[in-house]
Amino acid sequence: MSGVGRLAGKVALITGAGRGIGLAATKRFLAEGAKVVLADIDLSAAQKDAELLKEQYKDSVTFIRGDVAKEKDVKASCQLPLEKWGKLDVALLNAGVSHLLQPWLTTDESVLDRILAVNVKGPWLGMKHSAAAMIASPHKGKGCSIVLTSSVASLYGHPAFSAYVASKWAVRGLGLAGAQEFARHGIRVNTVQPGATDTRVFWDAAPGGMQDKVAMGALNVMGRLADPGEVASVMLFLASDEASFMTGSTVAVHAGATPT
């Protein structure tokens, strides 16, 4: 299925594509005509979906296992679109992890190390190698788009979530710096700030007393969690040529959540 759609003719890389927002974005990108490389450290959770996508989209979808905190894995993921389809147009650097809400004074250093490795080093490496792959493509980067997944936590603080908040503010900064550095190549860089979304990353942060989805929905004015597809729709827009005059933007998808 190619030749029609908002991403027709585009080649995309999506990290953290094995579940949640990344998997939802993969489905949207493919449906809109893109060829997509799915990258994740664990694709087992998406095995059933992967088989269905492969059956439906044939050679327009391929998979690679990799750790976004390891440069050799990131480089391999970013080079695969060039090797398979001759170019890279879109990189959705979505992979991320969270941690259980816990007081700053009792948070172990290992928690911070893991969060920064995946959530900050990951997109830093992803931007480095995806931009290089875009510039090495026949279009030399012109018309390309990098989309980063930050968080509503990058718009304000959150108690008992210090490591995660720090990492997502950093992602926002990476997006702003990348927009300035890669504009001369024609590469746009924008950042999405999802609010409370029904994903494993979100629920991994919730202690036992917060497992009630109705209660969690009170975090925003719409009184519910986002479906991953709702966030993926915004990512699709930023990846497409419809957002051709957007770079350095931070786009909140948080149902009116504001700091208190």
Side-chain angles (χ1 to χ4, degrees), residues 109-133:
E109 179 183 13
S110 63
V111 173
L112 179 65
D113 289 342
R114 175 173 178 265
I115 293 294
L116 295 183
V118 177
N119 292 4
V120 182
K121 185 180 180 183
W124 187 91
L125 289 171
M127 288 183 65
K128 175 183 177 180
H129 290 289
S130 64

Side-chain angles (χ1 to χ4, degrees), residues 25-45:
T26 296
K27 293 176 179 178
R28 291 301 309 275
F29 282 28
L30 285 165
E32 291 292 341
K35 292 179 170 63
V36 181
V37 171
L38 286 75
D40 204 303
I41 195 169
D42 179 14
L43 288 167
S44 61

Side-chain angles (χ1 to χ4, degrees), residues 7-132:
L7 295 181
K10 304 282 190 184
V11 174
L13 165 70
I14 300 178
T15 68
R19 66 180 78 236
I21 294 171
L23 182 58
T26 296
K27 293 176 179 178
R28 291 301 309 275
F29 282 28
L30 285 165
E32 291 292 341
K35 292 179 170 63
V36 181
V37 171
L38 286 75
D40 204 303
I41 195 169
D42 179 14
L43 288 167
S44 61
Q47 185 174 352
K48 184 177 180 180
D49 290 280
E51 291 172 357
L52 291 173
L53 291 173
K54 193 68 176 175
E55 180 180 344
Q56 183 175 2
Y57 294 102
K58 313 297 183 187
D59 292 334
S60 290
V61 58
T62 193
F63 310 90
I64 186 169
R65 183 190 177 282
D67 184 345
V68 296
K70 295 181 178 178
E71 186 159 21
K72 65 178 181 62
D73 288 5
V74 175
K75 185 175 182 179
S77 296
C78 293
Q79 286 297 312
L80 184 56
L82 281 173
E83 295 167 2
K84 189 170 180 63
W85 296 303
K87 64 173 183 171
L88 178 63
D89 301 295
V90 177
L92 171 54
L93 305 178
N94 169 75
V97 292
S98 62
H99 62 84
L100 188 69
L101 290 174
Q102 54 192 286
W104 197 324
L105 298 181
T106 59
T107 300
D108 190 79
E109 179 183 13
S110 63
V111 173
L112 179 65
D113 289 342
R114 175 173 178 265
I115 293 294
L116 295 183
V118 177
N119 292 4
V120 182
K121 185 180 180 183
W124 187 91
L125 289 171
M127 288 183 65
K128 175 183 177 180
H129 290 289
S130 64

Side-chain angles (χ1 to χ4, degrees), residues 33-258:
K35 292 179 170 63
V36 181
V37 171
L38 286 75
D40 204 303
I41 195 169
D42 179 14
L43 288 167
S44 61
Q47 185 174 352
K48 184 177 180 180
D49 290 280
E51 291 172 357
L52 291 173
L53 291 173
K54 193 68 176 175
E55 180 180 344
Q56 183 175 2
Y57 294 102
K58 313 297 183 187
D59 292 334
S60 290
V61 58
T62 193
F63 310 90
I64 186 169
R65 183 190 177 282
D67 184 345
V68 296
K70 295 181 178 178
E71 186 159 21
K72 65 178 181 62
D73 288 5
V74 175
K75 185 175 182 179
S77 296
C78 293
Q79 286 297 312
L80 184 56
L82 281 173
E83 295 167 2
K84 189 170 180 63
W85 296 303
K87 64 173 183 171
L88 178 63
D89 301 295
V90 177
L92 171 54
L93 305 178
N94 169 75
V97 292
S98 62
H99 62 84
L100 188 69
L101 290 174
Q102 54 192 286
W104 197 324
L105 298 181
T106 59
T107 300
D108 190 79
E109 179 183 13
S110 63
V111 173
L112 179 65
D113 289 342
R114 175 173 178 265
I115 293 294
L116 295 183
V118 177
N119 292 4
V120 182
K121 185 180 180 183
W124 187 91
L125 289 171
M127 288 183 65
K128 175 183 177 180
H129 290 289
S130 64
M134 291 170 177
I135 294 166
S137 299
H139 47 54
K140 302 186 186 305
K142 185 176 181 180
C144 290
S145 173
I146 297 174
V147 180
L148 303 176
T149 302
S150 181
S151 166
V152 68
S154 75
L155 301 176
Y156 47 85
H158 194 293
F161 216 23
S162 57
Y164 184 83
V165 168
S167 73
K168 290 305 184 177
W169 275 83
V171 173
R172 185 179 176 191
L174 291 176
L176 296 174
Q180 295 175 332
E181 186 157 346
F182 299 127
R184 65 188 181 91
H185 298 288
I187 301 172
R188 298 180 294 106
V189 183
N190 295 290
T191 307
V192 176
Q193 283 78 26
T197 306
D198 193 6
T199 64
R200 191 183 75 172
V201 169
F202 177 77
W203 290 109
D204 280 351
M210 299 177 69
Q211 293 294 331
D212 185 347
K213 291 187 180 184
V214 175
M216 295 305 293
L219 290 173
N220 61 60
V221 300
M222 294 181 72
R224 65 175 178 86
L225 302 180
D227 179 84
E230 293 177 294
V231 181
S233 294
V234 178
M235 293 169 163
L236 170 65
F237 167 70
L238 292 173
S240 76
D241 293 338
E242 294 171 11
S244 59
F245 199 59
M246 290 183 69
T247 195
S249 296
T250 56
V251 183
V253 190
H254 61 14
T258 56

